[in-house]
Amino acid sequence: MLGNMQDFPLLVTSLIDHAEREHGEREIVTRWANGQELRSNWGIVALEARKFAQMLGRLGVQRGDRVATIGMNHAHHISSWYGTAGMGGILHTINPRLHADQLVYVLNHAGDRVLLFDKMFQPIVEAIKDRLETVEHFVLFDNAPASDGYACYRDLIDAEDGDYRWVDADERDPVGLCYTSGTTGNPKGVLYEHRSNVLHAITALQPAVMDLSSRSVMLPIVPMFHANAWGIPFAAAAVGAKLVCSCSNDGGVLWKLFREEKVTFSAGVPTVWLAMFADMDANGGDYGALQRVVIGGSAAPRAMIERLKKAGITVAHAWGMTETSPIGTTGARPHNWAELSFEQQVDIIAKQGRPPYGVELRIVGEDGQSLPRDGKTSGRLQIRGPWILQRYFGSEELAIDEENWFDTGDVSVLFPDGTMQITDRAKDVIKSGGEWISSIELENEAVGCDGVAEAAAVGVHHPKWDERPLLLVVRKPGATIGAEDILDHLQGRVAKWWLPDEIKFVDELPHTATGKILKRALRDEYADYSLATADD
Amino acid sequence: MLGNMQDFPLLVTSLIDHAEREHGEREIVTRWANGQELRSNWGIVALEARKFAQMLGRLGVQRGDRVATIGMNHAHHISSWYGTAGMGGILHTINPRLHADQLVYVLNHAGDRVLLFDKMFQPIVEAIKDRLETVEHFVLFDNAPASDGYACYRDLIDAEDGDYRWVDADERDPVGLCYTSGTTGNPKGVLYEHRSNVLHAITALQPAVMDLSSRSVMLPIVPMFHANAWGIPFAAAAVGAKLVCSCSNDGGVLWKLFREEKVTFSAGVPTVWLAMFADMDANGGDYGALQRVVIGGSAAPRAMIERLKKAGITVAHAWGMTETSPIGTTGARPHNWAELSFEQQVDIIAKQGRPPYGVELRIVGEDGQSLPRDGKTSGRLQIRGPWILQRYFGSEELAIDEENWFDTGDVSVLFPDGTMQITDRAKDVIKSGGEWISSIELENEAVGCDGVAEAAAVGVHHPKWDERPLLLVVRKPGATIGAEDILDHLQGRVAKWWLPDEIKFVDELPHTATGKILKRALRDEYADYSLATADD
């Protein structure tokens, strides 16, 4: 039957159409890896998206084919997303920090026919090129000219006229592909759809999520190969925000861009903020026009929250994962904010926030039964909603239960007002005497201690308690802090029985491709470690 | 084929589910017509919505049936919306200010089976009761107890236990019905759908539209029977905003509520703000916590914009109509706001704003061809998008063209940045010598003149120019202003050839049910008027 309201599919291409039509001159600035700058705008990026779609057609790419990118954040990358979507293709973003075997796996598993890569990743590509089974076209993606037998984006785009009309699509058609970094087994692909991306984009705009408008100047530090840069290139198009993209995450380069481009909003993992603080401490300078920071990937240390807050910056956590598009929760000021003390405000910011309309959360016990939202009980976090995955790419099996719940692998607490606090990854939690110790909370408290640069808590086998915490600590350069200092600091900040049985100083800790501490490697390394207390 | 992301229909009921789950204790305050107060919250309103659904079932209401309300803004009204949607019914809001014949027409045309009405509207209902063909149940809706043979909301709700699960629905199922007031012919019904209402609600949240979060305290002066109170009861649920509802639009009552409930945001037609200013001028007082005002229905006089702006309040127009759910455009600060002078800022606010993602606008000439967005050319405004009507309720004919364009009946100018300015209603525009004179612009400039309370410009037949403007003016109480004063004021503010040929002082002007000046009646009254200049 004919509906009464209009039939408009929610298509990613309608986002770039809107940006071009209503905000065509709003800027998109790219700072390339070689220090050069490209000043573009939504109108130009939209035109290049149409040229990109034409170019893919010329290369023989068909509807439903996958097009891969190994690229940093830049204007070409944004055009490639919209152009691929607009010709019915699927844009596959690849994390360059994956191991070579994983890169080969994801490219072959996705069946990518085209691979665009930034010049800096040419060695990575060449190291695996012979093992790629489906890639027919290799294209230099950033501002590098054609060389070494590779065509380049600029030449290919300039050969097209942009006279292209997006193919008709269904809003449930797939449009993007991103593999989870997968600490065990092969990476698994998450296939985003037009509809899920558009709903996620307009949700991101609201004040309690990212608070975006055409007045925003956003520098997404989070890379486009990491869960769609949290969806920012879609959300920004929905309002015509100015985007500032950097191919370098060097603290000094970023601060310079923040100030020169009057960045008001940024989003990234905690480690990049540490790098930026280090640069600021060394070279001085202020925060420029910065008003709002969203931190995700892992929890921000309390000291980082306090530093940003004292500078007058609205700081909030966001929590999500590749499988959730990624927004699951975001921190936002509750309505009684003005009545809270500084410490109470920081307590709220230190949690992961609340779900926007569209997302539903629950925690379950080991038996799969729902647990209360009492701010105390912790359980496995589950999530459902229109931008949450239901099955992995190429899999016939559902990744959700019969009520749509997707198990996140995180352990968390839910508060009565819906606020969520991650207490650990399910596999990282330290099981001591039948109770759970949060490795993350131990680490965050340890990092708040003067002289500690980084810390990792792992469960080590203990004959009596099953597991007990071992805390691995990297000292700040020049710091002489000892184990007793850290224990003194932890006293009163965590439960007494959470105190690590041993604190071991190391020169560095291993990290995942996305900058998180690689707990699995530490667990392997310390699997047979003998705690000094094991004979207690 | 099984999708990769989850299947979640966009249902109105998921809005109230979210509000109950995540913001259950956030308040909904009702100030009844008799001065009593009801303090409720999203949790209670959600529970009563389930009871309302049960109650409709008990009354024999079936899926797809229509349930009518003639009510002001109050918590019962909100529960009735969600409860009707949740049992698969269609909630039909009726404007009590319609003429009796129109009331009878819309109730019979809609085939309403239940009619809920506030006590104050009992005389209206009783005057038409005998002519209603389908209504089986009449229920007192507000805080009035059962009386005169009518059951009341409270008794019926209290008889239910609330143990109810919403029926499964498709997101394209109809959920709400509102008739246009129709200045010619019979009123026409707009049938809203779950999906259109939900997309409209999450769009309303963004900073450039209504800027809503759980911190907002909203008093929608715009009534729920007027284009869903601009969708506010849906948008507020999506974020758990506090709602303050008043059954009285008396200026003094409203200001008291603003201050007592710490209202941060309000929305209404210009006339209610005039009433509130009058109260403030007479009785003193400040704006309380008010931060943001959205004005729609008709254009705000420049003096009103300036007064609110000088008080530090963010003021913006919104433009839309029943057929557009209603948001079409909203005023928002452009990114270069801080560089603009006070006057330039007021110039922007005086326009109708820009379309959010989802809405597309164009203007066309008499031949139906698109006209340029040059800030000068005016044409008939057309609109399309997922919350724009495609056919009227019960009609087999499409109300849009083959490209989905709906003709609004407004005449407007589009600026290069997408800003829209209504210059007139197509039928009100004054056609003089082949050119168009905006009756609205003449009226707005006239109202800016000291001593003018209200003004209406109508085109009167002229032998040489076809039509020439006649300006009808209501003086402020005690004002002694004359025609020459107004002409002096208009000089330089409008083009010389726009100056009215005659200014006539009247005691009052006729208004439509929604408070706009009833131009049709004036055109009828002055159809044969002889202008003093007609012999020129």
Side-chain angles (χ1 to χ4, degrees):
Chain A
M1 194 194 74
L2 188 63
N4 286 268
M5 303 307 281
Q6 294 189 5
D7 303 312
F8 263 89
L10 300 174
L11 301 178
V12 158
T13 41
S14 65
L15 295 167
I16 191 78
D17 289 345
H18 174 83
E20 180 182 34
R21 191 174 58 240
E22 310 298 342
H23 305 278
E25 295 186 11
R26 192 71 170 134
E27 281 187 301
I28 297 180
V29 179
T30 301
R31 197 270 189 197
W32 299 110
N34 66 0
Q36 290 179 337
E37 184 183 85
L38 172 68
R39 302 198 79 85
S40 182
N41 62 37
W42 285 106
I44 295 170
V45 163
L47 175 63
E48 291 202 1
R50 289 193 293 274
K51 292 183 175 182
F52 194 89
Q54 288 178 305
M55 182 268 280
L56 290 182
R58 195 175 303 275
L59 295 180
V61 175
Q62 305 284 317
R63 196 160 176 158
D65 284 352
R66 274 75 66 199
V67 173
T69 62
I70 307 184
M72 298 298 285
N73 294 356
H74 51 67
H76 297 178
H77 208 164
I78 298 172
S79 289
S80 77
W81 282 21
Y82 287 108
T84 303
M87 60 76 62
I90 297 169
L91 198 287
H92 173 202
T93 52
I94 298 179
N95 186 338
R97 293 169 206 144
L98 292 177
H99 299 294
D101 289 351
Q102 288 180 313
L103 286 171
V104 171
Y105 175 84
V106 302
L107 277 147
N108 288 338
H109 186 263
D112 298 310
R113 295 188 59 193
V114 179
L115 172 58
L116 298 112
F117 58 95
D118 288 356
K119 184 74 181 174
M120 70 171 96
F121 302 127
Q122 188 174 327
I124 292 176
V125 171
E126 291 183 349
I128 59 166
K129 207 174 162 184
D130 293 344
R131 299 161 64 193
L132 302 182
E133 295 160 8
T134 58
V135 178
E136 299 157 37
H137 304 278
F138 293 85
V139 178
L140 280 165
F141 197 19
D142 55 355
N143 62 335
S147 64
D148 307 326
Y150 299 112
C152 76
Y153 172 95
R154 178 53 48 214
D155 290 346
L156 292 176
I157 290 299
D158 287 348
E160 307 294 341
D161 64 8
D163 182 15
Y164 185 86
R165 201 186 132 100
W166 308 131
V167 299
D168 285 328
D170 185 277
E171 66 182 30
R172 294 300 301 267
D173 285 346
V175 70
L177 177 62
C178 184
Y179 283 75
T180 60
S181 34
T183 47
T184 55
N186 282 319
K188 288 181 282 190
V190 178
L191 199 60
Y192 303 111
E193 298 170 357
H194 281 281
R195 174 177 163 117
S196 63
N197 277 348
V198 169
L199 289 174
H200 186 274
I202 53 182
T203 295
L205 308 177
Q206 58 180 282
V209 181
M210 290 193 188
D211 195 28
L212 298 178
S213 73
S214 66
R215 303 182 76 199
S216 305
V217 182
M218 311 170 64
L219 193 159
I221 305 178
V222 53
M224 290 172 70
F225 52 76
H226 187 69
N228 288 337
W230 302 352
I232 289 172
F234 295 127
V239 290
K242 172 176 169 179
L243 274 182
V244 184
C245 300
S246 177
C247 292
S248 162
N249 281 343
D250 173 80
V253 169
L254 289 173
W255 274 132
K256 190 158 175 288
L257 272 174
F258 270 64
R259 294 178 192 120
E260 287 177 357
E261 300 298 335
K262 300 186 168 54
V263 170
T264 63
F265 173 84
S266 188
V269 294
T271 43
V272 301
W273 292 102
L274 289 176
M276 291 173 72
F277 288 158
D279 179 82
M280 189 183 254
D281 291 341
N283 303 311
D286 60 22
Y287 293 85
L290 191 63
Q291 294 168 1
R292 187 180 182 91
V293 161
V294 175
I295 295 175
S298 54
R302 200 171 171 96
M304 180 181 292
I305 293 170
E306 288 174 356
R307 177 164 177 166
L308 289 165
K309 190 163 164 21
K310 281 177 183 161
I313 293 166
T314 299
V315 52
H317 273 126
W319 170 86
M321 50 204 301
T322 306
E323 289 89 340
T324 67
S325 292
I327 293 174
T329 60
T330 51
R333 301 177 172 193
H335 61 85
N336 63 342
W337 187 251
E339 299 154 24
L340 303 177
S341 68
F342 183 89
E343 285 305 313
Q344 288 171 320
Q345 293 178 349
V346 174
D347 285 345
I348 289 172
I349 298 170
K351 299 183 177 73
Q352 274 61 48
R354 301 165 80 175
Y357 166 73
V359 169
E360 200 177 340
L361 301 176
R362 70 168 185 177
I363 50 171
V364 298
E366 309 234 18
D367 58 356
Q369 292 300 300
S370 276
L371 295 171
R373 290 165 40 139
D374 59 9
K376 295 188 293 272
T377 310
S378 71
R380 290 180 75 99
L381 180 66
Q382 301 190 328
I383 185 170
R384 62 183 180 186
W387 52 85
I388 313 300
L389 163 136
Q390 77 179 359
R391 63 169 179 137
Y392 289 99
F393 173 60
S395 168
E396 293 302 315
E397 273 176 47
L398 284 177
I400 56 176
D401 73 12
E402 63 284 358
E403 288 182 310
N404 280 336
W405 292 109
F406 174 77
D407 192 288
T408 64
D410 277 326
V411 173
S412 79
V413 167
L414 289 175
F415 289 76
D417 74 349
T419 298
M420 190 271 285
Q421 182 167 27
I422 296 285
T423 52
D424 219 334
R425 286 294 293 171
K427 59 186 181 302
D428 294 338
V429 79
I430 299 164
K431 287 163 184 159
S432 175
E435 301 280 347
W436 288 1
I437 296 172
S438 163
S439 65
I440 290 175
E441 202 166 330
L442 272 183
E443 290 158 10
N444 283 348
E445 291 297 348
V447 168
C449 178
D450 270 348
V452 173
E454 216 175 5
V458 290
V460 173
H461 178 69
H462 188 284
K464 180 172 174 189
W465 302 110
D466 189 16
E467 285 185 352
R468 287 297 300 160
L470 164 69
L471 187 70
L472 302 161
V473 171
V474 179
R475 288 193 188 92
K476 281 189 182 165
T480 57
I481 190 169
E484 284 305 314
D485 302 311
I486 295 173
L487 280 175
D488 283 353
H489 175 83
L490 293 177
Q491 290 277 6
R493 288 187 159 84
V494 299
K496 200 171 174 63
W497 63 276
W498 282 30
L499 290 173
D501 282 30
E502 188 174 333
I503 295 176
K504 189 173 161 64
F505 291 94
V506 294
D507 291 338
E508 60 175 359
L509 289 168
H511 291 90
T512 68
T514 55
K516 298 180 198 177
I517 293 173
L518 194 59
K519 287 287 186 71
R520 183 173 49 82
L522 292 174
R523 275 198 301 274
D524 290 348
E525 186 177 348
Y526 292 92
D528 303 321
Y529 191 77
S530 289
L531 285 168
T533 58
D535 301 327
D536 285 3
Chain B
M1 194 194 73
L2 187 64
N4 286 267
M5 303 308 279
Q6 295 188 6
D7 302 312
F8 263 91
L10 300 175
L11 300 179
V12 158
T13 42
S14 66
L15 295 167
I16 191 79
D17 289 345
H18 174 83
E20 180 181 34
R21 191 173 59 240
E22 310 299 342
H23 305 278
E25 297 186 10
R26 193 71 171 133
E27 281 188 303
I28 297 179
V29 179
T30 301
R31 197 270 188 199
W32 298 111
N34 66 359
Q36 290 180 335
E37 184 183 84
L38 171 68
R39 302 198 80 84
S40 182
N41 61 37
W42 284 108
I44 295 169
V45 164
L47 175 63
E48 291 202 1
R50 290 192 293 274
K51 292 181 175 182
F52 194 89
Q54 287 178 306
M55 181 268 278
L56 290 182
R58 196 175 303 275
L59 294 181
V61 175
Q62 305 283 318
R63 196 160 176 157
D65 283 352
R66 272 77 64 199
V67 173
T69 62
I70 306 184
M72 297 298 285
N73 294 356
H74 51 68
H76 297 178
H77 208 163
I78 299 173
S79 289
S80 76
W81 281 21
Y82 286 109
T84 303
M87 61 75 63
I90 298 168
L91 198 288
H92 173 201
T93 52
I94 299 179
N95 187 339
R97 295 169 205 144
L98 291 177
H99 298 294
D101 289 350
Q102 289 181 311
L103 286 171
V104 170
Y105 174 84
V106 301
L107 276 147
N108 288 337
H109 187 263
D112 298 310
R113 296 191 56 196
V114 180
L115 172 59
L116 298 112
F117 57 95
D118 288 356
K119 184 76 180 172
M120 70 171 96
F121 303 126
Q122 188 174 328
I124 291 176
V125 170
E126 291 182 348
I128 61 167
K129 208 174 161 182
D130 293 344
R131 299 162 64 194
L132 301 182
E133 295 160 8
T134 60
V135 178
E136 300 156 36
H137 305 279
F138 293 85
V139 179
L140 280 164
F141 198 20
D142 54 355
N143 62 335
S147 65
D148 307 325
Y150 299 113
C152 76
Y153 172 94
R154 178 54 48 213
D155 292 345
L156 292 176
I157 289 299
D158 287 348
E160 307 293 341
D161 63 9
D163 183 14
Y164 185 87
R165 200 186 132 98
W166 308 131
V167 299
D168 285 328
D170 184 278
E171 65 181 31
R172 295 299 301 266
D173 284 347
V175 70
L177 177 62
C178 183
Y179 283 76
T180 59
S181 33
T183 47
T184 54
N186 282 318
K188 288 180 282 188
V190 179
L191 198 60
Y192 303 111
E193 298 170 356
H194 281 280
R195 175 178 162 114
S196 63
N197 276 348
V198 169
L199 289 175
H200 185 274
I202 52 181
T203 295
L205 307 177
Q206 59 181 283
V209 181
M210 290 194 188
D211 196 27
L212 297 178
S213 73
S214 65
R215 304 182 76 199
S216 305
V217 181
M218 308 170 67
L219 193 160
I221 305 176
V222 52
M224 291 172 70
F225 54 75
H226 187 68
N228 289 335
W230 301 353
I232 289 172
F234 296 128
V239 291
K242 172 175 168 179
L243 275 181
V244 183
C245 299
S246 177
C247 292
S248 162
N249 281 343
D250 173 81
V253 169
L254 288 174
W255 275 130
K256 189 158 177 287
L257 271 174
F258 268 64
R259 294 179 193 120
E260 287 177 356
E261 300 297 336
K262 300 185 169 52
V263 171
T264 63
F265 172 85
S266 189
V269 294
T271 43
V272 300
W273 292 101
L274 288 176
M276 292 173 72
F277 290 157
D279 179 81
M280 190 182 254
D281 290 342
N283 304 310
D286 59 22
Y287 293 85
L290 192 62
Q291 295 167 0
R292 188 180 180 91
V293 161
V294 174
I295 295 175
S298 53
R302 200 172 172 96
M304 179 181 292
I305 293 170
E306 288 173 357
R307 177 165 177 167
L308 288 166
K309 189 163 165 23
K310 281 177 183 161
I313 293 166
T314 299
V315 51
H317 273 126
W319 170 86
M321 51 203 302
T322 306
E323 289 90 337
T324 66
S325 290
I327 294 174
T329 60
T330 52
R333 300 176 173 194
H335 62 86
N336 62 341
W337 188 252
E339 299 154 25
L340 304 176
S341 69
F342 183 89
E343 285 305 313
Q344 288 171 318
Q345 292 177 349
V346 174
D347 286 344
I348 289 173
I349 298 170
K351 300 183 175 74
Q352 274 61 48
R354 301 164 80 175
Y357 166 73
V359 169
E360 200 176 339
L361 301 175
R362 71 169 185 177
I363 50 172
V364 298
E366 311 235 17
D367 57 357
Q369 292 301 300
S370 277
L371 295 171
R373 289 165 42 138
D374 59 7
K376 296 189 293 271
T377 310
S378 71
R380 290 179 76 100
L381 180 66
Q382 300 191 329
I383 185 170
R384 62 182 180 187
W387 53 86
I388 313 301
L389 162 135
Q390 77 179 359
R391 62 169 181 137
Y392 289 98
F393 175 59
S395 168
E396 293 301 315
E397 273 175 48
L398 284 177
I400 56 177
D401 73 11
E402 62 284 358
E403 288 181 310
N404 281 335
W405 291 110
F406 174 77
D407 193 289
T408 64
D410 277 326
V411 172
S412 78
V413 166
L414 290 175
F415 289 76
D417 75 349
T419 298
M420 191 270 285
Q421 182 166 27
I422 296 285
T423 52
D424 218 334
R425 288 293 295 171
K427 58 188 180 304
D428 294 337
V429 78
I430 299 162
K431 287 165 184 155
S432 175
E435 301 280 346
W436 288 1
I437 295 172
S438 163
S439 65
I440 289 175
E441 201 167 330
L442 271 182
E443 290 158 10
N444 282 349
E445 291 296 348
V447 167
C449 179
D450 270 350
V452 173
E454 215 173 9
V458 290
V460 173
H461 177 70
H462 189 285
K464 179 171 175 189
W465 302 110
D466 190 16
E467 285 185 352
R468 286 297 300 161
L470 164 69
L471 187 70
L472 301 161
V473 171
V474 180
R475 288 193 188 90
K476 280 187 181 165
T480 57
I481 190 169
E484 282 307 312
D485 303 310
I486 296 172
L487 280 175
D488 283 352
H489 174 84
L490 292 176
Q491 290 277 6
R493 287 186 160 85
V494 300
K496 201 171 174 64
W497 63 276
W498 283 29
L499 289 175
D501 282 30
E502 186 173 335
I503 294 176
K504 188 174 162 64
F505 292 93
V506 293
D507 292 336
E508 59 176 0
L509 290 167
H511 291 92
T512 67
T514 55
K516 298 180 200 178
I517 293 172
L518 194 59
K519 287 287 188 72
R520 183 174 47 83
L522 292 174
R523 273 198 301 274
D524 291 349
E525 186 177 348
Y526 292 94
D528 302 322
Y529 191 76
S530 288
L531 286 168
T533 57
D535 303 327
D536 284 4

